[in-house]
Amino acid sequence: MPRRNRQSRPCPCGSGTAYTACCGPLHAGTAKAATAEALMRSRYSAFALGDAAYLLRTWHPSTRPERLDLADDGRRFTGLAILETTGGSPLHTQGTVRFRADYTDAEGPGSQTENSAFERIGGDWTYVDAISFS
């Protein structure tokens, strides 16, 4: 069976849409996230695909690290669940998204829950920081 490339696979964000119609255009810079949740989903996909450049590009300038090392630590992201959103619509300038990211690593399956803050700058949503995580 031929191996499908990244472009024809379902998007890692769990939307059920093909990567090319979901987070792919955001990663390529040909589309912008309309909401804080869309940006969060695209950032999850970027983590899952190892796209550090996109993560840095969408990080708020006041909290953005100088560099981001996504060295292969054996962690594989396996699912995303959006638990709650506040604000973050096309009409807002700020919002939060609480989500759970499931993964597997050398220790077995696990998950991380985070409530993240987002802010729009010049029309572009940016990730500010984690408000809380576990």
Side-chain angles (χ1 to χ4, degrees):
M1 177 195 287
R3 187 173 164 205
R4 296 186 300 171
N5 67 26
R6 177 188 302 177
Q7 301 296 321
S8 63
R9 291 184 184 159
C11 193
C13 80
S15 66
T17 305
Y19 175 75
T20 55
C22 192
C23 293
L26 280 72
H27 292 172
T30 59
K32 295 181 180 186
T35 65
E37 180 181 334
L39 182 66
M40 209 285 335
R41 287 180 172 279
S42 70
R43 287 177 57 84
Y44 169 87
S45 291
F47 271 107
L49 299 171
D51 189 346
Y54 179 78
L55 293 166
L56 289 170
R57 198 167 61 244
T58 58
W59 215 307
H60 193 280
S62 70
T63 57
R64 178 184 320 141
E66 286 186 29
R67 65 195 115 129
L68 184 62
D69 182 15
L70 297 179
D72 188 3
D73 61 0
R75 181 172 284 187
R76 299 287 174 248
F77 291 95
T78 59
L80 175 67
I82 303 299
L83 305 175
E84 179 183 19
T85 62
T86 61
S89 81
L91 303 175
H92 293 104
T93 57
Q94 296 180 330
T96 64
V97 180
R98 191 166 65 88
F99 66 92
R100 184 185 70 245
D102 298 322
Y103 60 85
T104 59
D105 61 17
E107 296 177 16
S111 67
Q112 173 181 329
T113 301
E114 181 176 313
N115 191 17
S116 298
F118 294 85
E119 183 178 322
R120 233 174 13 180
I121 299 175
D124 295 334
W125 282 105
T126 61
Y127 166 77
V128 178
D129 208 353
I131 298 168
S132 63
F133 60 92
S134 59

